[in-house]
Amino acid sequence: MHDGTHVTPSAPKVRQVLALLALRANSTVPLHQLVEELWEERPPSSAATTLQTYIYQLRKLPGLSESGRADPGAPLGALLTTPGGYRLSVPEGCLDSRRFADLATRGRRAMEEGAVSEAAATLHRALAVWRGPALCDLAPGPIAGIDALRLEEQRYEVLEERIDADLLLGRHHRLISELTALAADNPTREGLHAKLMLALYRAGRRPDALEVFQRIRQVLSRELGLEPCSELQRLHQQVLAGDPGLDLPAGTAVQGPPSGQPPVTLPADVPLIGREAELARARRALTESAGRDRPRCVSVAGAPGVGTTAFAVALAHRLGDVFPDGRLYVSFGDPAGPRGVDEVLADLLQAVGHRRSELPAGRADRARMFRCWTAGRRVLLVVDDVAAAHQVTDLVPAHAGSAVLAAGYRRLYGGGFGTSMDLLPIGPDQSHELFLGALGRDRLPGGGACLHRVLDLFGGLPGPMVEAVGMLALRPHWSLRQLVDWMNRDRHTGVPHQRPHPFHHVLRRCGGLGHRQYDTLAKLACEGDGALTVEEASRILGLEADDTEELLEELLEFLLLEVDLVRDGSSERFFRYRLPPLLRMALRTTPVRALA
């Protein structure tokens, strides 16, 4: 190529001469080797003259004129006549074969120095120089043909070294498809089959690894009358025994599977009503990239049953184009007994392809493995049931193009959260649409007036409304009035979680409270009614006003109370606090610990 234009000769013999000169660049190629390359053992009597003609044609190509090297600093090559032959003089780095060899040397040196990641990257670059088999665009003679075989063998050596580096980095999942194809193309190359067996074993596919051994054993026996080499037989025995020596070294950052599809572990999407503005705002917060050098972290909180989980999941389903390398969902579980960060990390690592039994025990090691997997990937992580920002710290992906969307059962602060959103209850019209859409417009037990009373009770919280519709579906003989009457009854035992229950969301949230917080809320629910000033709450609780105000503000952080400004002078404090009707009813009738 010269100045971006291909100038390859069209005549096959001229291409052969150029190929041999390029393979021996900056060295003299004797005349007898050129003759042998062109005509093998039967050169014509005019071989010398014909060869001079080919050289003349080559010198007409841009950059190959002998006079073109009058300036020693010129960047172009030149075809020079030397005593006994010809030499193609070219600058360093202009031949693919030299670039390949240089990168391979650098990669091997990095491997020897223990810089495995750098070695893998460099060897990948070396192999990327290849655009097909060596000298595939001509029919090489005996000399160039040997060089082509040498180059192909070097390529396979570097390929196996690069695979070794990738295996050391824990990339066995992403190697399986490549090694399967290589083994099929090279049915007797034992080293490739050994690497495929190891990759399959580490990916938890031991039967497939054993099948690879049986396959190559049959091929070697049938075609060559040989048994597999001792290394392959030893590997076979190790796979049979489940030898721990085949596992990755402790602390190795394992890379997840590069399956054709990125990992997506989101729960099923559900339609949302009246959330378009909030979805747009959260999308902007998660996707804006200006000036960002770390992943975006957005938290969403709301009253129990407002639909933070459904909101986060629905948004994640809409962001597949923004986060093409994966969208993962994990939860800290029941607020009354939240799971540990190490368990949640195990869920994430399993979702991206790791066997749970192979994970390190420590939280820090698991966090490092997850960060390593996310490096270079744009992923969205949805974390549900978050109680504090520090729970998310070890879950944040490494790539600045990634993001975290946390659904908290209280407001979150710190931990890198750049945007925090409160999800408000939906409006009366939207509540009417949701309730009737779930119940069925042909069934309205109790009439329109009773429906308005029920919707006022639920206060625009989609979760309890859907649970109530589920209860009515199980009890079609009930009217809305009977539903409200049942909700108002005192009960000492709960309803199992697998059964619909309008109080599930409220009581689950209360289960995450401390004893003092829960006792405060229960007293206010049983003895208070409507809105309470700090002074009124203080009398009910038997506490000083300052202590009472702190408790009320803590409950506000859990979004279990509503708040208004005091405008009528009825309190020396700034705010009036209100228990939502559904919360007050739930706490009056059903103890938190009674809900199974």
Side-chain angles (χ1 to χ4, degrees), residues 323-335:
F323 301 100
D325 299 315
R327 286 164 291 152
L328 307 172
Y329 171 91
V330 286
S331 170
F332 280 97
D334 191 346

Side-chain angles (χ1 to χ4, degrees), residues 135-205:
L135 308 182
C136 61
D137 58 348
L138 65 106
I143 298 177
I146 291 174
D147 282 337
L149 291 174
R150 173 179 57 81
L151 288 170
E152 287 290 341
E153 190 60 34
Q154 289 177 353
R155 175 173 174 260
Y156 267 100
E157 289 173 2
V158 172
L159 177 62
E160 293 200 34
E161 289 167 341
R162 191 224 85 206
I163 291 171
D164 286 335
D166 283 339
L167 283 169
L168 282 173
L169 292 170
R171 296 169 177 166
H172 39 270
H173 288 282
R174 68 177 62 182
L175 287 170
I176 290 173
S177 59
E178 178 187 10
L179 281 168
T180 300
L182 287 170
D185 291 340
N186 301 270
T188 61
R189 201 168 187 112
E190 293 170 293
L192 289 174
H193 285 75
K195 291 172 176 55
L196 176 56
M197 287 178 64
L198 183 58
L200 287 166
Y201 175 83
R202 287 182 176 172
R205 297 169 58 181

Side-chain angles (χ1 to χ4, degrees), residues 266-347:
L266 301 174
D269 194 6
V270 295
L272 299 180
I273 294 178
R275 296 295 187 201
E276 293 308 316
E278 293 99 324
L279 285 169
R281 181 188 169 198
R283 182 186 179 102
R284 287 194 299 271
L286 286 169
T287 58
E288 61 186 7
S289 58
R292 300 294 305 190
D293 57 359
R294 66 186 308 277
R296 277 86 66 205
C297 295
V298 175
S299 67
V300 180
V306 78
T308 52
T309 298
F311 177 84
V313 169
L315 179 59
H317 274 285
R318 289 157 174 75
L319 293 176
D321 56 332
V322 182
F323 301 100
D325 299 315
R327 286 164 291 152
L328 307 172
Y329 171 91
V330 286
S331 170
F332 280 97
D334 191 346
R339 306 169 68 218
V341 177
D342 56 336
E343 293 182 73
V344 172
L345 281 165
D347 287 350

Side-chain angles (χ1 to χ4, degrees), residues 3 32 51 60 68-69 102 128 134 158 192 198 235 261 273 280 306 316 319 421-422 432 446 476 482 514 540 588:
D3 290 340
H32 69 86
L51 179 57
K60 291 194 295 183
R69 292 290 292 175
D102 289 345
V158 172
L192 289 174
L198 183 58
L235 177 61
Q261 297 296 324
I273 294 178
V306 78
L319 293 176
M421 295 176 54
D422 282 355
H432 191 273
Q482 288 164 327
I540 293 172
R588 281 175 173 174

Side-chain angles (χ1 to χ4, degrees), residues 457-474:
L457 173 62
F458 288 131
L461 299 174
M465 280 190 273
V466 172
E467 293 275 335
V469 169
M471 177 166 282
L472 290 172
L474 292 176

